[in-house]
Amino acid sequence: MPYVNIKITREGATKAQKAQLISGVTELLQKTLNKNPATTVVVIDEVDTDNWGIGGEVVTELRKR
Amino acid sequence: MPYVNIKITREGATKAQKAQLISGVTELLQKTLNKNPATTVVVIDEVDTDNWGIGGEVVTELRKR
Amino acid sequence: MPYVNIKITREGATKAQKAQLISGVTELLQKTLNKNPATTVVVIDEVDTDNWGIGGEVVTELRKR
Amino acid sequence: MPYVNIKITREGATKAQKAQLISGVTELLQKTLNKNPATTVVVIDEVDTDNWGIGGEVVTELRKR
Amino acid sequence: MPYVNIKITREGATKAQKAQLISGVTELLQKTLNKNPATTVVVIDEVDTDNWGIGGEVVTELRKR
Amino acid sequence: MPYVNIKITREGATKAQKAQLISGVTELLQKTLNKNPATTVVVIDEVDTDNWGIGGEVVTELRKR
């Protein structure tokens, strides 16, 4: 029944990589807390680098350095 | 003043259906908890089926079965 | 498979009221978008009035007026 | 180390305005709570007006008045 | 730089189990997407079973069966 | 109409500091994007240091160093 939200910058994650994140985190919750995988929900948000900031700076600018 | 976030897979919800969700949940909060509809905020996120997992599997794959 | 997060101020919602929110929003998603209730997840966050602001003011202060 | 999520309707915020939000909120957390800006993360979600409701109504409709 | 939010019901997860979730998901993001662990943030929300619903029912009630 | 969620570790932020965050971020949205302060909602989540990880480590442990 856990709900997991993974936010990453939109920088080309493939379908296969996203599938790995989903299966990996579902498995981790089963292994660690015995959570039922059947009702574990994972949502991945890919966020434009213009909309993500760290250290007070926009990631789009950080990527140019 | 409540804030409601509804996450669904992006699979063709129409403007009219989304309007119904917004009015329906606002009404539910008023009826149940006497919350002021004027300041009730509802945000709907439509998520690509590649980015949604359940049971460790990507919804895009589940939909093919 | 939808995921719904309802945030309200912590001001005495009862177990019965929270149960009504959960069943009500699950039903709304089924009626409106034909979403499967069995995998619809609803999480209610009750937030201290000191931690909720509207109009630039803390709700705890607004409640005193 | 704080994490800030800002949700606004998608109505033409520019890159420069989003950069200002990111630097502004990071600075606010440093000034107010002495939080380290280097690990402060800010994510801006721009939401379609069809997917945002207030007062039980869709923002797209409110904007027409 | 990823941000991960894990929501589970509050049913006795230990400090050690939560530490395992944090290190496990950070490692998964590094392995799968080459994300820098140093800036990967993980936040775990433990939610009262009265405030979590699935299938239109409150988890507190489901646990009694 | 913006919605802002600020997540910080629970390490003694005072009512006054939280009020400053709420007024500060509301003002920032008005100044930067001309958003109406009256309907700007800010929610602060204070998260136990056991439940927050960065760099794959639990903040509780990082604080001991």
Side-chain angles (χ1 to χ4, degrees):
Chain A
M1 216 164 34
Y3 169 79
V4 181
N5 181 228
I6 299 174
K7 286 187 200 295
I8 53 175
T9 43
R10 187 187 304 283
E11 298 179 279
T14 64
K15 273 173 103 137
Q17 287 170 325
K18 293 188 283 189
Q20 260 181 279
L21 285 183
I22 286 168
S23 64
V25 81
T26 304
E27 210 179 284
L28 177 68
L29 280 153
Q30 181 176 29
K31 230 176 44 194
T32 311
L33 288 172
N34 202 26
K35 294 293 183 186
N36 181 5
T39 53
T40 294
V41 173
V42 184
V43 172
I44 300 169
D45 292 328
E46 296 177 276
V47 177
D48 198 290
T49 56
D50 286 354
N51 289 14
W52 194 298
I54 187 163
E57 289 192 88
V58 182
V59 172
T60 312
E61 297 310 308
L62 293 173
R63 289 295 187 250
K64 290 179 181 163
R65 289 181 202 164
Chain B
M1 216 163 35
Y3 169 79
V4 181
N5 181 227
I6 299 174
K7 285 188 201 294
I8 53 174
T9 43
R10 188 187 303 283
E11 298 179 280
T14 64
K15 273 173 102 137
Q17 286 169 325
K18 293 189 283 190
Q20 259 180 280
L21 284 184
I22 286 168
S23 64
V25 81
T26 303
E27 209 178 284
L28 177 69
L29 279 152
Q30 180 176 31
K31 231 177 44 195
T32 310
L33 288 172
N34 202 27
K35 293 293 183 186
N36 181 5
T39 52
T40 294
V41 173
V42 184
V43 172
I44 300 168
D45 291 327
E46 295 177 276
V47 177
D48 199 290
T49 55
D50 285 355
N51 289 13
W52 193 299
I54 187 161
E57 290 193 86
V58 182
V59 173
T60 312
E61 296 311 307
L62 293 174
R63 288 296 187 250
K64 289 179 181 162
R65 288 181 204 164
Chain C
M1 216 163 36
Y3 169 79
V4 181
N5 180 228
I6 299 174
K7 285 187 201 294
I8 53 174
T9 43
R10 187 186 305 281
E11 299 178 280
T14 64
K15 272 172 103 137
Q17 287 170 324
K18 293 188 283 189
Q20 259 181 281
L21 285 183
I22 286 167
S23 64
V25 81
T26 304
E27 209 179 284
L28 177 69
L29 280 152
Q30 180 175 31
K31 229 177 46 195
T32 310
L33 289 172
N34 202 27
K35 294 293 183 187
N36 181 4
T39 54
T40 294
V41 173
V42 184
V43 172
I44 299 169
D45 292 328
E46 295 177 276
V47 177
D48 198 289
T49 56
D50 286 353
N51 289 14
W52 193 298
I54 187 162
E57 290 192 87
V58 182
V59 172
T60 312
E61 297 310 308
L62 293 173
R63 289 294 188 253
K64 289 180 181 163
R65 289 181 201 164
Chain D
M1 215 163 35
Y3 170 78
V4 181
N5 180 227
I6 299 174
K7 286 187 200 294
I8 53 175
T9 43
R10 188 187 304 281
E11 298 178 279
T14 64
K15 272 173 104 138
Q17 287 170 325
K18 293 187 283 189
Q20 259 181 279
L21 284 183
I22 286 167
S23 64
V25 81
T26 303
E27 210 178 282
L28 177 69
L29 279 153
Q30 180 175 31
K31 230 178 44 195
T32 310
L33 288 172
N34 202 27
K35 293 294 182 185
N36 181 4
T39 52
T40 295
V41 173
V42 185
V43 172
I44 301 169
D45 291 328
E46 296 177 276
V47 177
D48 198 289
T49 55
D50 285 355
N51 288 15
W52 193 299
I54 187 164
E57 290 191 87
V58 182
V59 172
T60 313
E61 296 311 307
L62 293 174
R63 289 296 187 250
K64 289 180 182 163
R65 289 181 201 163
Chain E
M1 217 163 33
Y3 170 78
V4 181
N5 181 227
I6 300 175
K7 285 187 201 294
I8 52 175
T9 43
R10 188 187 304 282
E11 298 178 280
T14 65
K15 272 173 104 138
Q17 287 170 324
K18 292 188 282 190
Q20 259 181 280
L21 285 183
I22 286 168
S23 64
V25 81
T26 303
E27 209 178 284
L28 177 68
L29 279 153
Q30 181 176 29
K31 229 177 46 195
T32 311
L33 289 172
N34 202 27
K35 294 293 181 185
N36 181 4
T39 53
T40 295
V41 173
V42 184
V43 172
I44 300 169
D45 292 327
E46 295 177 277
V47 177
D48 198 289
T49 55
D50 286 353
N51 289 13
W52 193 299
I54 187 162
E57 289 193 87
V58 182
V59 172
T60 313
E61 297 310 309
L62 293 173
R63 289 295 187 251
K64 290 180 183 164
R65 289 180 203 166
Chain F
M1 215 162 35
Y3 170 78
V4 181
N5 180 228
I6 299 174
K7 285 187 201 295
I8 53 175
T9 43
R10 188 187 304 281
E11 297 178 282
T14 65
K15 272 173 103 138
Q17 286 170 325
K18 293 188 284 189
Q20 259 180 279
L21 284 183
I22 286 168
S23 64
V25 81
T26 304
E27 210 178 283
L28 177 69
L29 280 153
Q30 180 176 29
K31 231 177 44 195
T32 310
L33 289 172
N34 201 28
K35 294 293 183 187
N36 181 4
T39 53
T40 295
V41 173
V42 184
V43 172
I44 300 169
D45 291 328
E46 295 177 276
V47 177
D48 198 290
T49 56
D50 285 354
N51 289 14
W52 193 299
I54 186 161
E57 289 192 88
V58 182
V59 173
T60 312
E61 296 311 308
L62 294 173
R63 290 294 188 250
K64 289 180 182 163
R65 288 181 203 164

